[in-house]
Amino acid sequence: MAKLGVEQHESFATFRLWAPFAQKVAVGGDFSDWQNIPLTKNETTGVWEAIIKRVKPGNSYKYEILGFDNLLHYKNDPRAKVLTDSDVGRSVVADDEFNWEGCEKTPVVSRSKQIIYELHIGTFVRPDAATSGTFTTAIEKLDYLKELGVTTIELMPITSMATSNGWGYAPNALYSVEPLYGGMFGLKTFVKEAHKRGLQVILDMVYNHFSGSTDLWQFDGWSKDNHGGIYFYNDSRGDTPWGGRPDYGRPEVRDFILDNVAMWLSDYRVDGFRIDSTIYMRNTAGLNDDPAHDIGDAWDLLSEITALAHKINPDALMIAEDYAGNSMITAAREDEGCGFDSQWDLGLPHVIRGALGIPGEGPGLQNISNVLQQNFNNDWTKRIVFADSHDTAANGNTRIVSAASQNTHSTNSRKIAILSSAIALTAPGIPMILAGSEFLQGGDFNDWNALAWENTDKFKGIIEAHKHLIALRQNQHGNTGGLMSGEIKILSADEKNKVLVYQRGSDDEAVIIATSFNPSEVIDYQLPIPDGQWNIGFDSSWRGYSPDFKELNIEKINNQTKISLPAYIILIITKN
């Protein structure tokens, strides 16, 4: 099939649109003084085409389609890279020229040192409480993220979305960058500036549904049983809780999605993806091991997505959010898997909350012990671990510091902020931090409250603790290599005292993690660590992190040493 969308040439442009059931198609725009120009249909492919002169980047346009239903439909180009407005706007001929200043390539980051930072452009850095954040405002904090130790920025969805506001999981147009955030130029500039600093950028993409208001719905007037038409399944497979499910079995729809993946990697130079809710792509009920509702086409498409991404950029980081922890998601394609590099592990944030005694989660240390030892495909890099995410901090829940304490700035909240992040940063897996966790952002995650950047001055010590934890996680001092391995051994899960101790790495490079989830001090406690003299390399009770902490103030320890563990402490203990 010929290239769809607008293909620009020196003296003309070719407009192509897939609308197989349309009776007539015309396009009008700035280039024609908004007089309609008819397109000609290829009866074999269902693609309509017109060659039009005097088309320039910046020209807006829209299609008029006489549909199968004998109604006129005014539609945007599904492959428009620029829209004047995400809901009722017009398509715009894109200006693809961009000066990358030599920053096109993915910064090299080994999987063992990767630290992901999840952020939402609309709320990350707002000029004021009533104005959305943009790529430009977010660029202001790239140096901060670099200094924190982040290697990879995960952007929540940035495609044109319903009402131009929200989390981004109600996509209207997959090829257009949300205009409110800064559009195509804004995203390219953000990626370039991130690359300048050695930071990777991955996009959170939604292919499991389109919003109910998308222009794709009944695009050319054809549908069955009032379903979505040519871009969607037209039976029960097309139904999801959020909008219509694309028809992954239709070649033109598969190409629509695969070409979209290629565009972000090639045109925007992004460094990978998190594919949202793959379980709702591959199963109509969102269930695992449920053959009756499986969508085989989706399994195949997911495999094609990872293959294409790795063909374009072998270093692309491909992450799935699958809920179920199905190992076939991260199994190699040659082993009939989908070939994702990693997948979200949704268990850890819940068991951390349970260990802290937060209502609604299973209490105790056994659950967290079990989750810490999990992996996919016998490869610790195959899972993304975190204490909080946009999901766990919303949907009726709050961020972990708010869930644990009504006063998110209290002494205990500061301790819990360090403890919860430290668990994720010492667990086997690629760690992820939800934006603001490192400076005690409270409340729930939503799409209107800006991050409280004033907290970075109030809680410099908590941020410093995160910097230290990340440095240890990346073995920057040469004595915490065990944290970069997949090995873990639970040494003790003391339910009575709420003390959990585990070893990372082999005995030769062992790193011991000792944690107390106890809200009170634990007196005269002997940590069950291996024989020998050990050094405390990280002590979350250090007063440099907060002057009101009750400091342990011990540098060396062995398994005979009796210590009094302050509330909510975490220690990282090494041989050297």
Side-chain angles (χ1 to χ4, degrees):
M1 185 185 294
K3 182 180 179 181
L4 296 175
V6 177
E7 188 174 5
Q8 298 179 66
H9 302 275
E10 187 172 338
S11 60
F12 66 92
T14 304
F15 287 70
R16 297 188 184 95
L17 183 76
W18 179 58
F21 295 101
Q23 300 181 57
K24 293 181 181 179
V25 175
V27 64
D30 295 332
F31 44 78
S32 65
D33 294 326
W34 288 96
Q35 299 301 304
N36 277 342
I37 298 173
L39 279 70
T40 302
K41 184 181 183 181
N42 182 319
E43 294 293 343
T44 302
T45 63
V47 173
W48 298 76
E49 179 177 314
I51 296 175
I52 303 174
K53 295 181 178 180
R54 298 184 297 277
V55 177
K56 299 178 181 179
N59 287 168
S60 58
Y61 65 99
K62 204 152 191 173
Y63 286 104
E64 180 184 273
I65 300 172
L66 177 59
F68 181 84
D69 53 4
N70 295 315
L71 299 175
L72 284 177
H73 302 267
Y74 296 92
K75 297 286 189 177
N76 276 310
D77 187 343
R79 292 176 180 247
K81 296 179 183 178
V82 181
L83 296 178
T84 59
D85 178 270
S86 289
D87 289 303
V88 294
R90 297 168 174 170
S91 304
V92 179
V93 178
D95 185 348
D96 290 316
E97 293 295 322
F98 186 78
N99 182 8
W100 283 98
E101 300 179 34
C103 297
E104 296 93 337
K105 292 185 178 180
T106 295
V108 177
V109 180
S110 69
R111 291 283 189 265
S112 62
K113 292 190 175 183
Q114 210 135 25
I115 306 290
I116 300 173
Y117 192 89
E118 183 191 28
L119 66 86
H120 174 256
I121 288 292
T123 54
F124 184 55
V125 182
R126 284 196 158 190
D128 59 53
T131 305
S132 175
T134 64
F135 297 115
T136 300
T137 61
I139 287 171
E140 298 171 8
K141 298 298 182 183
L142 290 179
D143 289 334
Y144 164 84
L145 295 180
K146 181 67 175 178
E147 292 171 8
L148 185 64
V150 169
T151 66
T152 306
I153 299 167
E154 181 181 306
L155 296 180
M156 289 177 63
I158 48 76
T159 56
S160 290
M161 63 192 77
T163 72
S164 289
N165 187 53
W167 289 11
Y169 296 100
N172 266 356
L174 281 186
Y175 282 73
S176 167
V177 180
E178 173 54 50
L180 187 66
Y181 290 170
M184 182 172 77
F185 184 84
L187 176 58
K188 287 182 177 180
T189 303
F190 181 86
V191 174
K192 178 175 72 173
E193 292 300 320
H195 283 184
K196 282 182 181 179
R197 294 159 173 83
L199 296 169
Q200 298 179 343
V201 179
I202 62 176
L203 298 184
D204 193 341
M205 290 301 301
V206 182
Y207 296 127
N208 57 74
H209 77 284
F210 296 115
S211 86
S213 60
T214 179
D215 253 6
L216 299 179
W217 189 259
Q218 297 180 358
F219 187 76
D220 61 2
W222 174 87
S223 67
K224 284 185 178 179
D225 301 325
N226 203 34
H227 280 88
I230 59 174
Y231 281 93
F232 301 87
Y233 286 113
N234 284 268
D235 52 29
S236 60
R237 292 173 297 173
D239 301 329
T240 79
W242 316 284
R245 181 182 284 109
D247 184 348
Y248 307 122
R250 191 185 287 263
E252 296 86 352
V253 178
R254 293 170 80 89
D255 288 346
F256 180 69
I257 293 173
L258 290 169
D259 290 350
N260 185 251
V261 170
M263 180 195 73
W264 298 117
L265 292 166
S266 301
D267 295 358
Y268 292 84
R269 308 292 178 161
V270 302
D271 308 302
F273 301 94
R274 170 202 183 261
I275 305 299
D276 180 65
S277 193
T278 53
I279 197 168
Y280 263 100
M281 292 179 67
R282 63 183 180 83
N283 186 278
T284 59
L287 298 175
N288 194 44
D289 295 328
D290 176 34
H293 297 97
D294 273 352
I295 304 175
D297 298 330
W299 279 101
D300 293 340
L301 178 61
L302 289 169
S303 178
E304 289 182 56
I305 287 172
T306 61
L308 176 62
H310 288 138
K311 180 179 179 180
I312 296 171
N313 181 357
D315 295 320
L317 176 60
M318 300 298 296
I319 300 170
E321 183 215 19
D322 199 69
Y323 298 113
N326 188 314
S327 62
M328 294 309 294
I329 293 293
T330 39
R333 295 180 71 244
E334 53 265 32
D335 296 326
E336 300 185 353
C338 291
F340 280 91
D341 297 305
S342 198
Q343 59 176 306
W344 270 27
D345 184 347
L346 300 180
L348 192 59
H350 296 286
V351 297
I352 291 174
R353 290 171 183 240
L356 288 167
I358 295 173
E361 304 290 355
L365 301 181
Q366 189 58 53
N367 290 335
I368 191 170
S369 299
N370 292 340
V371 170
L372 282 170
Q373 296 177 90
Q374 292 174 354
N375 66 65
F376 303 121
N377 316 99
N378 295 315
D379 183 346
W380 67 271
T381 67
K382 297 291 187 183
R383 71 171 184 165
I384 308 296
V385 291
F386 47 88
D388 243 343
S389 72
H390 71 270
D391 276 329
T392 58
N395 302 315
N397 297 315
T398 60
R399 290 174 179 261
I400 197 164
V401 290
S402 291
S405 174
Q406 291 185 339
N407 180 0
T408 58
H409 294 178
S410 69
T411 302
N412 277 349
S413 290
R414 278 170 265 157
K415 293 178 180 180
I416 288 169
I418 299 174
L419 172 61
S420 56
S421 291
I423 294 293
L425 285 161
T426 58
I430 297 175
M432 186 184 80
I433 299 170
L434 175 63
S437 298
E438 75 279 13
F439 53 74
L440 276 81
Q441 181 75 23
D444 65 337
F445 174 84
N446 56 54
D447 53 29
W448 61 87
N449 281 339
L451 291 190
W453 284 101
E454 62 273 17
N455 284 3
T456 58
D457 289 326
K458 295 178 183 177
F459 303 117
K460 290 180 180 179
I462 309 303
I463 295 172
E464 192 71 11
H466 282 76
K467 290 180 181 179
H468 291 167
L469 286 165
I470 290 171
L472 292 169
R473 172 65 180 74
Q474 296 175 329
N475 194 27
Q476 291 183 18
H477 307 296
N479 61 348
T480 50
L483 295 179
M484 297 171 62
S485 76
E487 295 188 51
I488 183 169
K489 183 192 304 180
I490 304 298
L491 301 180
S492 174
D494 180 350
E495 296 284 3
K496 179 181 178 182
N497 290 294
K498 300 183 179 179
V499 175
L500 175 67
V501 183
Y502 52 97
Q503 175 180 317
R504 292 296 318 284
S506 64
D507 291 343
D508 291 338
E509 57 175 5
V511 179
I512 308 299
I513 317 299
T515 67
S516 173
F517 291 90
N518 202 313
S520 302
E521 185 177 29
V522 180
I523 306 296
D524 292 338
Y525 198 82
Q526 289 179 247
L527 292 175
I529 59 179
D531 292 339
Q533 195 73 9
W534 294 79
N535 302 302
I536 296 178
F538 178 87
D539 172 6
S540 67
S541 73
W542 181 50
R543 287 191 178 135
Y545 299 144
S546 187
D548 58 351
F549 282 179
K550 183 176 181 180
E551 191 170 354
L552 180 61
N553 199 23
I554 293 177
E555 294 183 1
K556 295 186 179 295
I557 191 173
N558 59 50
N559 54 20
Q560 301 301 311
T561 308
K562 290 186 178 181
I563 59 176
S564 293
L565 295 171
Y568 301 123
I569 193 175
I570 183 161
L571 303 174
I572 298 178
I573 306 168
T574 65
K575 272 288 188 183
N576 301 312

